[in-house]
Amino acid sequence: MSQTGSGEDVRLAEGIDHQVAMVMDLNKCIGCQTCTIACKTNWTDGGGREYMYWNNVETKPGSGYPRDWEEMGGGWDEEGQERTPGDLPESEDYGRPWEFNHEQVMYEGSDEPLRPMDQADWGPNWDEDEGAGEYPNSYYFYLPRICNHCTHPSCVEACPRSALYKREEDGIVLVDQDRCRGYRYCVEGCPYKKVYYNAMKKTSEKCIFCYPRIEGEGPEGEVMAPSCAEDCPPQLRMVGYLDDEEGPIHKLVNEYEVAVRLHPEYRTEPNVYYIPPFAPPQHSESGESVEAERIPRNYLEELFGPAVNEALNTIERERARVERGEESEVMEMLTTTDTADQYRLEVFDE
Amino acid sequence: MDRRPLLLAAVLALAVVATTVAVPAMVSARPAYEIPVTAADDPDSLDSAEGEAWTEVPAAGVPLSSAGAAVPGGDDTTVENVRVASARTDERLYVRLSWEDGTRDTGADDVREFPDAVAVQLPANESARPPITMGSTDNPVNVWYWNGANASQELLAGGPGTTTTLTDSELRTAATYDGGRWRVVFSRPLAGASENRTTITGTRDVDVAVAVWNGSNMERSGQKATSEWYYLALGPGPQGPPYEAILWTVAGVAIVLTTLVTIEGVRRTRGE
Ligand code: SF4
Ligand code: SF4
């Protein structure tokens, strides 16, 4: 627990100097999966990781990845004291890697279109763009997900060998590959299903928040934001420290409270936050706007908890201010294209 | 008339009867928690889980119960018994475990797939018996581990969740699954003790405990069926063939003595 100057309470995990965090503005996600591929080619193109997406983008409402992960349990009870048991997903729930007819199309001159050969009956974001609701008021939005590097991570608690740990310097949650014996209690225990079992290595692996990049281990020795953030075409991810009072993360999360947690009821206290989707209103059959929200509030509450209501109200107020020609720090932070404002990763460097 | 020799004869005769009845029972009932170690000289046969030599080696039936560790499903274990046999040559110590398991689980290639496994736990340092739950920081255990998915491992543990792989292991294993039964042989050179590795001599018993995991029940880690501490009867204590021989010798001497005394008693009674 640390107290910031402005009086807001920023809860950090015990023994953590600073907590790295991300805010994703769901209003900007176009579902292009650039982040997914950036992550995949950086970290998960090795053996045993074919099915793994440390970063994935799913369509909501939808079953997600792994399929129906929200039904699999894990996390903590209401008091946040006792872990609630979770399930191990089936490999089919992740979707098996598909075989394509590359050989025939590329080398044998087949006229067939390039397509998966078989087993193509489920995969990450299989239900892309399906959403819910009826024409003309159907709705969906994209939900990019990485490990939340939780303040109270149930994956860490689940491991009987303490092979998962939260780094002291920035709260990044990592798996010690030498200590891990592949028991998979972390996979069960994470309610976001963001730890994966590598059957080839017989250990668990997960998103590392691109820690070598934020440590400046890149080719130029520069500090860089995680790949999923840097490579996102609409630049919807802000990265920094939750306890950096001057940064957008702290302001959006703690000051304006417009960035909310996904499934706060799991009580792992995620450090990835979302600006909830702010969809245009519903339309009548004749195409007129009507006074009804397109994405039902109760669905957003299911995802982001009751705090989503205040967040949306605040955003609406702030938008109205900008429309009136007034200043709005919130809208400035959400619309900036200056990466220096989006990524503040060197504030605590000595 | 001197009745004392007669009385003595009667007592001795009774003793013979008693000994004759009791001795076979005593030699077949081993002391509790003992795993006899048979001296053998056919290493090739002992190396194989189904080797001929094992038919000559008596096994102890060891009951198991769940370790009760604080992992989800920690109490949910399925294997209730394991048979443990042990033999030694001049060079190596062999321990063979066999248990019933209806499913042969040898993979860990799917997120929900766990292999069958077995482990033998020995105190790293024989001078004090470590806590049964994987030892403790200042009293670690040396663990021989095998599972159906990969080769065996020799581990060191100083309490639950602390197992570390020893890299320079000379542990050997062989396993078979037949008729719904796993048979797994572990062996190690008698020499090669170290700080982390149990000293095995022919002059001292060695404590031993075992654990079995059933993969199809998703058993792993602390979700395992474990025994209490037993001991490998390597020392000179009351055990095996020497114990039996001593008892039979005592019985034989008693029979001869009794007969002599009886004869003498009869002669005296007749006043010869
Ligand atoms: S999201 Fe899951 S894996 Fe990541 S820190 Fe939280 S509990 Fe652990
Ligand atoms: S790269 Fe950005 S816009 Fe594209 S899917 Fe990922 S988060 Fe959404």
Side-chain angles (χ1 to χ4, degrees):
Chain A
M1 189 87 71
S2 83
Q3 199 80 20
T4 66
S6 54
E8 276 92 16
D9 223 7
V10 179
R11 200 184 157 212
L12 301 187
E14 217 173 295
I16 302 302
D17 298 339
H18 306 290
Q19 177 64 57
V20 84
M22 191 182 277
V23 169
M24 302 195 208
D25 185 350
L26 296 183
N27 297 288
K28 293 187 195 162
C29 183
I30 55 173
C32 64
Q33 306 283 357
T34 308
C35 50
T36 310
I37 300 306
C39 177
K40 191 138 200 49
T41 49
N42 254 351
W43 306 115
T44 71
D45 67 340
R49 308 196 185 98
E50 291 76 8
Y51 81 95
M52 285 185 207
Y53 294 93
W54 294 357
N55 177 103
N56 77 292
V57 182
E58 55 199 57
T59 299
K60 287 290 172 190
S63 316
Y65 159 86
R67 176 170 49 198
D68 297 327
W69 61 270
E70 287 153 296
E71 322 288 313
M72 288 180 186
W76 304 86
D77 67 359
E78 272 183 41
E79 282 76 47
Q81 298 296 319
E82 293 279 314
R83 285 202 315 113
T84 59
D87 295 330
L88 281 178
E90 305 269 353
S91 50
E92 280 74 16
D93 294 335
Y94 293 103
R96 291 185 189 277
W98 302 338
E99 298 282 330
F100 284 77
N101 53 344
H102 286 128
E103 191 68 26
Q104 290 88 325
V105 174
M106 311 285 190
Y107 303 109
E108 291 167 16
S110 162
D111 291 336
E112 289 274 303
L114 189 66
R115 59 177 171 80
M117 305 284 278
D118 49 8
Q119 329 135 324
D121 49 11
W122 182 258
N125 207 23
W126 178 262
D127 47 10
E128 179 168 342
D129 297 1
E130 278 178 22
E134 293 295 321
Y135 175 85
N137 292 310
S138 49
Y139 63 93
Y140 65 78
F141 57 92
Y142 303 108
L143 181 69
R145 301 202 299 124
I146 60 169
C147 162
N148 298 299
H149 300 278
C150 304
T151 295
H152 193 198
S154 55
C155 59
V156 168
E157 187 77 12
C159 178
R161 295 179 53 74
S162 312
L164 284 91
Y165 63 101
K166 221 174 145 50
R167 295 216 301 193
E168 205 175 287
E169 57 266 47
D170 51 19
I172 291 176
V173 175
L174 297 175
V175 183
D176 180 336
Q177 294 294 311
D178 293 330
R179 293 212 51 74
C180 178
R181 283 177 69 82
Y183 295 148
R184 289 160 260 176
Y185 289 117
C186 54
V187 181
E188 286 178 0
C190 169
Y192 300 93
K193 293 294 168 269
K194 277 296 171 191
V195 196
Y196 302 91
Y197 170 65
N198 186 327
M200 219 178 93
K201 299 223 164 12
K202 310 274 184 269
T203 55
S204 290
E205 298 176 344
K206 61 182 288 300
C207 159
I208 57 174
F209 211 85
C210 288
Y211 74 81
R213 292 173 61 101
I214 70 169
E215 284 173 3
E217 295 291 320
E220 309 294 320
E222 276 173 83
V223 169
M224 311 250 264
S227 272
C228 59
E230 294 253 20
D231 287 8
C232 171
Q235 290 288 289
L236 61 85
R237 301 179 187 219
M238 274 162 277
V239 185
Y241 293 92
L242 195 60
D243 46 331
D244 164 18
E245 285 170 52
E246 302 309 314
I249 304 270
H250 173 77
K251 288 182 178 168
L252 294 168
V253 170
N254 296 311
E255 240 177 275
Y256 294 102
E257 299 180 344
V258 289
V260 291
R261 283 168 160 163
L262 177 62
H263 287 301
E265 74 278 14
Y266 298 159
R267 290 187 163 69
T268 59
E269 301 172 32
N271 288 304
V272 170
Y273 297 82
Y274 296 94
I275 305 294
F278 196 88
Q282 293 194 15
H283 289 161
S284 67
E285 283 290 338
S286 57
E288 321 252 299
S289 291
V290 297
E291 271 294 306
E293 279 177 338
R294 180 167 294 260
I295 306 174
R297 275 290 170 102
N298 60 5
Y299 179 63
L300 291 179
E301 276 179 46
E302 245 176 65
L303 285 183
F304 302 106
V308 78
N309 291 305
E310 234 1 89
L312 286 168
N313 295 346
T314 306
I315 293 170
E316 190 166 20
R317 266 200 319 272
E318 297 294 324
R319 280 164 66 120
R321 286 170 69 140
V322 175
E323 276 161 27
R324 291 196 302 269
E326 295 168 27
E327 299 251 303
S328 161
E329 194 184 12
V330 170
M331 294 320 288
E332 253 166 55
M333 285 188 286
L334 293 180
T335 53
T336 182
T337 51
D338 185 347
T339 50
D341 296 337
Q342 290 170 330
Y343 312 135
R344 282 170 55 94
L345 285 160
E346 287 165 281
V347 281
F348 295 118
D349 290 355
E350 245 76 333
Chain B
M1 195 169 74
D2 190 356
R3 284 182 162 266
R4 273 190 307 172
L6 245 191
L7 201 65
L8 187 65
V11 168
L12 282 170
L14 261 176
V16 168
V17 173
T19 314
T20 318
V21 173
V23 163
M26 282 164 78
V27 291
S28 63
R30 281 187 310 274
Y33 303 112
E34 179 190 297
I35 292 166
V37 180
T38 306
D41 54 9
D42 187 357
D44 289 344
S45 179
L46 292 171
D47 258 339
S48 140
E50 306 277 6
E52 252 314 291
W54 288 108
T55 56
E56 309 292 317
V57 178
V62 172
L64 303 175
S65 59
S66 80
V71 291
D75 289 334
D76 177 17
T77 58
T78 47
V79 182
E80 290 173 358
N81 280 290
V82 58
R83 294 194 66 74
V84 186
S86 180
R88 53 164 294 192
T89 61
D90 290 341
E91 270 87 44
R92 294 184 85 83
L93 173 71
Y94 297 81
V95 176
R96 186 177 86 149
L97 302 105
S98 97
W99 70 99
E100 240 173 75
D101 183 343
T103 49
R104 178 175 179 271
D105 308 306
T106 55
D109 295 338
D110 184 278
V111 65
R112 292 178 65 90
E113 193 180 10
F114 294 89
D116 294 327
V118 67
V120 172
Q121 168 181 286
L122 312 155
N125 176 344
E126 264 302 310
S127 59
R129 184 178 266 194
I132 187 95
T133 50
M134 314 283 294
S136 63
T137 324
D138 48 7
N139 197 357
V141 291
N142 184 194
V143 175
W144 305 345
Y145 174 82
W146 168 92
N147 78 32
N150 52 24
S152 54
Q153 287 176 324
E154 191 173 0
L155 307 161
L156 182 73
T162 62
T163 46
T164 310
T165 314
L166 297 177
T167 44
D168 54 343
S169 180
E170 291 186 85
L171 189 69
R172 253 190 347 229
T173 45
T176 59
Y177 180 85
D178 187 38
R181 233 185 145 74
W182 275 114
R183 289 182 181 84
V184 178
V185 178
F186 290 97
S187 77
R188 198 206 90 170
L190 294 175
S194 67
E195 215 183 310
N196 300 329
R197 213 165 259 136
T198 315
T199 306
I200 295 169
T201 64
T203 54
R204 249 172 102 171
D205 295 342
V206 173
D207 286 326
V208 63
V210 298
V212 180
W213 292 262
N214 179 8
S216 54
N217 192 40
M218 305 232 281
E219 291 173 28
R220 77 275 200 189
S221 172
Q223 186 184 352
K224 60 187 172 186
T226 51
S227 74
E228 294 183 54
W229 277 117
Y230 277 67
Y231 65 91
L232 293 171
L234 286 151
Q239 52 159 329
Y243 181 41
E244 195 176 340
I246 291 164
L247 283 172
W248 280 112
T249 312
V250 170
V253 169
I255 289 166
V256 172
L257 253 170
T258 312
T259 313
L260 288 176
V261 171
T262 310
I263 291 166
E264 178 62 17
V266 170
R267 276 174 55 205
R268 289 203 187 170
T269 314
R270 288 186 184 156
E272 282 166 20

